[in-house]
Amino acid sequence: LIKSERKMRTVVSDELHYIREKYGDRRRTQLAEISTKSKKKSSLTTTDLTPEKPIWIILTKKGIISRTIQNKLPRLSGTEAPHWIIKTATRDTLYLVLEDGKTASIPTHQVPEAEKASKGVPFQEISPLLHGDKIAGIFTIPPRTNQKKSLPGFDEWFILTATRKGYVKKTLVSSLPGTSAEPFILVKVNDDDTLLGVRLTNGDNDILLASSLGMSIRFNESDIR
């Protein structure tokens, strides 16, 4: 029994040496140092490895979302006309804001490509939002590394929200979370009210609100808390 066990170990050892000599290649992957004594370093993410290119994201009134294959504004009309269309990039973060203020954030590169807007997918399939949720607005934010290089001062920009009953509010861009598996509350909306839309602002704009009866009001956004 002992001789058989030794013979078996010898056979296994010989086979492992043979496999290593025949198929053993040098490691091609690189091990990144996450932290050091001097300073911490962040690990790479899927977004970091995604090639950056400009795209258009399209969301129809029926909740079908897609992104263009090329950086070309699609000519859409009739049933293909989008409810929202924004120009962004594949490394940006897309925010889907519901009428009750709940918001989901996903990487733009997760939005499926489609030649036609109707060939996309329901936004619930690529986000933590549920069927029956109603979108009030969408916007995108570039990665923080891009903000510092190409958009200095972007941390002082705001997300402006307005409800059907005329409540307006500003939220600092820097306070927004990145991509998340769970929705978050962008703005609290009363049960008897509905969020109408969202806009990116730089803090110095004049805001013009118009009602369905044709009445309007104009004021500087510095008046908004």
Side-chain angles (χ1 to χ4, degrees), residues 40-120:
K40 294 182 178 179
K41 298 180 180 180
S42 58
S43 56
L44 291 176
T45 64
T46 305
T47 301
D48 296 326
L49 301 176
T50 301
E52 185 171 9
K53 64 177 183 178
I55 54 172
W56 293 83
I57 289 184
I58 303 168
L59 182 61
T60 69
K61 196 169 185 178
K62 292 183 178 181
I64 304 300
I65 191 170
S66 62
R67 64 181 171 102
T68 57
I69 300 175
Q70 300 177 347
N71 177 27
K72 184 179 180 181
L73 180 62
R75 299 181 62 182
L76 305 170
S77 61
T79 57
E80 295 288 336
H83 200 62
W84 290 278
I85 180 169
I86 54 175
K87 187 175 184 179
T88 182
T90 49
R91 288 190 179 181
D92 293 357
T93 300
L94 172 66
Y95 293 83
L96 304 170
V97 188
L98 300 182
E99 292 182 349
D100 61 358
K102 187 176 7 178
T103 304
S105 54
I106 60 174
T108 53
H109 64 78
Q110 287 188 4
V111 179
E113 293 181 334
E115 294 183 356
K116 295 184 178 181
S118 58
K119 300 299 183 181

